[in-house]
Amino acid sequence: MSRDGDPKDAEVYNTSKPDDHHAGSDSESGRLHAASDAKRQIGILSASMLIFNRVIGTGIFATPSSILALTGSTGLSLFMWVAGALIAAAGTAVYLEFGTALPKNGGEKNYLEYVYRKPKFLVTGMYAGYVILLGWASGNSVVFGEYILHAAQVDVDRWNQRGVGLACITAAFIIHGTALKWGIRLQNLLGIIKIVIVIIIILGGFIALGGHLKIDEKPNNFHNAFEGTTGSAYGVVTALYNVIWSFIGYSNANYALSETKNPVRTLKIAAPIAITSVSILYMLVNIAYFAAVPKAEILASKRLVAASLFRNVFGNTAERALSVFVALSAFGNVLSVIFSQGRLVQELGREGILPFSRFWASNRPFNAPLAGLFEHWLICVIVILAPPPGDAYNFILNLISYPLAIVNAFVAAGLVHLYLNRDAWNWNPPIKATLPVAVFFMLSNIYLVVAPFVPPEHGQNIYESLPYWIHCVVGFGILAAGGVYWLLWAKILPKLGHYELAQEVVVDDIDGWENHVFVRKPLLQN
């Protein structure tokens, strides 16, 4: 995949403000403009909550125990969260620059296509595989099931946990597929509930630091904080993976910029507010855990460490209530994830990349991307049911994180290339991440791509029955599947059908959106 090619040969991408396009009469142009504006329902609060809901799912409630187990000490565990916050801040800056330069639905797909133009359309095909084959919302659907069953005091087994998880993802699909406005309102409400939960946990930590606990053994986790620190490279990188997974979502508002009011200004305000708030809250929550829960109990609690804090500080009844709140947090994350992923599938359909593109591109019958949401729902159902029971959650978590690190490495490398060749590309976006930040984000993700192939020390494999490298191989396989699809879609079929693929700008006659659509142009026969 190269970044070669004359930047001037792709007028579809322009970081300057485009002239108005008049389709037919002035009245028709006005109608399309009004229809396009009517689609813009996302303001600063909703954009912030899109990010907030995507970032705060269950990671901060479910992963601190595994991070402690992998790092071995309180000190290194907290340092992992600081490192994750710095990487997330760099990622936010990179996506802010690209999002304000190319403010339309699609997220990193637009940015990769803008920079990587040879082989022609390869990045489009590979990204299609990445979007279509990953079940992003499945992980938090599984955790939703675990916390709901814990609150109901029902023993969690393979099937009841997954059954409740399936109900969760199905409800999110129906809500966003049939009632767009109410889905956004529900996301905003759940985002506020999450903030309340996190603040209560932080207050619980301060209560614990004051010595007011309902347990005999008082935690002493801050004394000699680096005692037990691991020397395992595998443990450190896997811990960092889990932390970064807890920060995934800083680019979530970028997927819906065509539906955002004044997208440049909105993104410029919403993204920094959301990710800065999350970073501060995450550090305070981790301090609260270590203040209220003994180290041995954190390690034993696995994904229920937040429930342990509530039990130790507020009592057993509060523990059950907390489990319900964490489940609601997970549901809010599932709503946010399927909202953005459904739009990515729709964007692939709008551009004519997928088979039966008109079906995937449709907003009918509820003025929402029902078909795109259905595709992501279907993949999530498969991912929830397929892995072996003990490894399901960790496999899903790592399978999502790994290809994302590959994509982010290429996104950051693309921005570095633009900085180094700014004049040739005429790259002057409203917001600049700066070259050092782009390089830091690129190197961070390259490390995350390479390091998981280091064999774990004895007893550190995160899987019970799967090989430690399985998520890496499957992740590359997903991208390779996109490459195979590109070979079929962009090379073999055009050759057999005597046509070539080209991109054209098309204005939708219903909602006024401007799309860059792949069309088949017949080749002249000799």
Side-chain angles (χ1 to χ4, degrees), residues 199-214 218 288 291-292 309 312-314:
I199 289 173
I200 292 173
I201 289 175
I202 292 168
L203 290 175
F206 281 113
I207 292 171
L209 288 172
H212 304 288
L213 288 169
K214 297 184 181 296
K218 305 299 181 184
L309 178 144
N312 293 353
V313 176
F314 302 113

Side-chain angles (χ1 to χ4, degrees), residues 5-66:
D6 184 359
K8 301 176 184 63
D9 65 4
E11 293 85 1
V12 293
Y13 300 106
N14 192 339
T15 59
S16 60
K17 186 176 179 180
D19 295 329
D20 291 334
H21 296 282
H22 296 283
S25 66
D26 288 342
S27 60
E28 177 66 7
S29 177
R31 183 189 71 78
L32 291 175
H33 183 72
S36 178
D37 283 348
K39 289 285 293 182
R40 296 185 182 274
Q41 300 183 22
I42 299 172
I44 292 173
L45 174 62
S46 294
S48 298
M49 287 304 174
L50 270 176
I51 297 170
F52 204 86
N53 266 318
R54 180 69 181 265
V55 177
I56 300 186
T58 55
I60 189 60
F61 309 119
T63 61
S65 59
S66 65

Side-chain angles (χ1 to χ4, degrees), residues 93-94 97 412-423 425 427 429 431-439:
V94 168
E97 177 161 348
L415 187 56
V416 169
H417 177 75
L418 292 176
Y419 272 112
L420 297 178
N421 300 274
R422 185 188 298 275
D423 292 337
W425 287 79
W427 182 253
I431 294 178
K432 296 177 177 60
T434 73
L435 181 60
V437 169
V439 170

Side-chain angles (χ1 to χ4, degrees), residues 3 16 66 89 126 145 165 180 190 203 321 341 377 471 500 521:
R3 292 185 291 264
S16 60
S66 65
M126 295 184 74
L180 176 61
L190 291 173
L203 290 175
Q341 293 304 118
W377 172 85
H471 59 277
E500 66 176 358
K521 290 190 173 181

Side-chain angles (χ1 to χ4, degrees), residues 167-483:
C168 171
I169 187 67
T170 301
F173 160 58
I174 293 171
I175 290 168
H176 274 321
T178 60
L180 176 61
K181 285 186 177 180
W182 284 105
I184 292 174
R185 289 169 182 164
L186 181 58
Q187 279 184 187
N188 292 348
L189 175 62
L190 291 173
I192 293 168
I193 290 174
K194 285 182 190 184
I195 295 172
V196 172
I197 298 167
V198 168
I199 289 173
I200 292 173
I201 289 175
I202 292 168
L203 290 175
F206 281 113
I207 292 171
L209 288 172
H212 304 288
L213 288 169
K214 297 184 181 296
I215 55 173
D216 296 328
E217 180 193 354
K218 305 299 181 184
N220 193 25
N221 294 319
F222 299 111
H223 176 72
N224 198 4
F226 286 91
E227 181 182 4
T229 296
T230 181
S232 166
Y234 179 85
V236 170
V237 75
T238 306
L240 191 56
Y241 260 122
N242 290 355
V243 169
I244 289 172
W245 182 78
S246 299
F247 279 99
I248 285 176
Y250 47 79
S251 64
N252 205 38
N254 292 54
Y255 299 124
L257 291 177
S258 295
E259 300 169 66
T260 301
K261 303 170 186 174
N262 195 349
V264 172
R265 178 180 178 271
T266 298
L267 189 63
K268 184 167 62 173
I269 296 172
I273 288 176
I275 207 66
T276 301
S277 301
V278 166
S279 299
I280 294 170
L281 292 174
Y282 272 11
M283 288 306 301
L284 292 174
V285 166
N286 273 281
I287 291 169
Y289 289 149
F290 287 117
V293 187
K295 187 175 179 179
E297 187 178 345
I298 293 175
L299 294 172
S301 66
K302 294 189 176 180
R303 290 186 292 277
L304 298 171
V305 62
S308 295
L309 178 144
F310 262 57
R311 181 177 63 251
N312 293 353
V313 176
F314 302 113
N316 291 327
T317 303
E319 177 192 0
R320 293 178 62 188
L322 182 277
S323 295
V324 174
F325 286 134
V326 172
L328 288 175
S329 177
F331 184 54
N333 178 268
V334 171
L335 280 168
S336 183
V337 169
I338 198 170
F339 178 90
S340 58
Q341 293 304 118
R343 277 150 182 78
L344 281 175
V345 175
Q346 183 187 49
E347 195 68 17
L348 293 172
R350 282 179 174 271
E351 295 188 6
I353 296 166
L354 302 179
F356 313 107
S357 284
R358 290 180 64 86
F359 171 72
W360 301 114
S362 175
N363 263 333
R364 298 180 178 88
F366 302 107
N367 196 30
L370 186 64
L373 294 166
F374 170 76
E375 189 280 332
H376 193 67
W377 172 85
L378 182 62
I379 294 296
C380 286
V381 169
I382 295 170
V383 171
I384 289 171
L385 296 177
D391 290 331
Y393 179 77
N394 282 331
F395 175 73
I396 291 169
L397 184 155
N398 290 302
L399 179 59
I400 289 170
S401 300
Y402 192 78
L404 179 64
I406 298 171
V407 169
N408 280 340
F410 277 101
V411 169
L415 187 56
V416 169
H417 177 75
L418 292 176
Y419 272 112
L420 297 178
N421 300 274
R422 185 188 298 275
D423 292 337
W425 287 79
N426 191 27
W427 182 253
N428 293 293
I431 294 178
K432 296 177 177 60
T434 73
L435 181 60
V437 169
V439 170
F440 171 69
F441 189 56
M442 179 184 70
L443 294 177
S444 300
N445 282 283
I446 289 173
Y447 172 71
L448 292 174
V449 171
V450 174
F453 286 99
V454 177
E457 295 179 4
H458 179 70
Q460 277 207 321
N461 189 353
I462 54 172
Y463 302 121
E464 296 175 11
S465 57
L466 296 173
Y468 71 91
W469 42 258
I470 186 67
H471 59 277
C472 305
V473 174
V474 175
F476 274 111
I478 286 171
L479 295 176

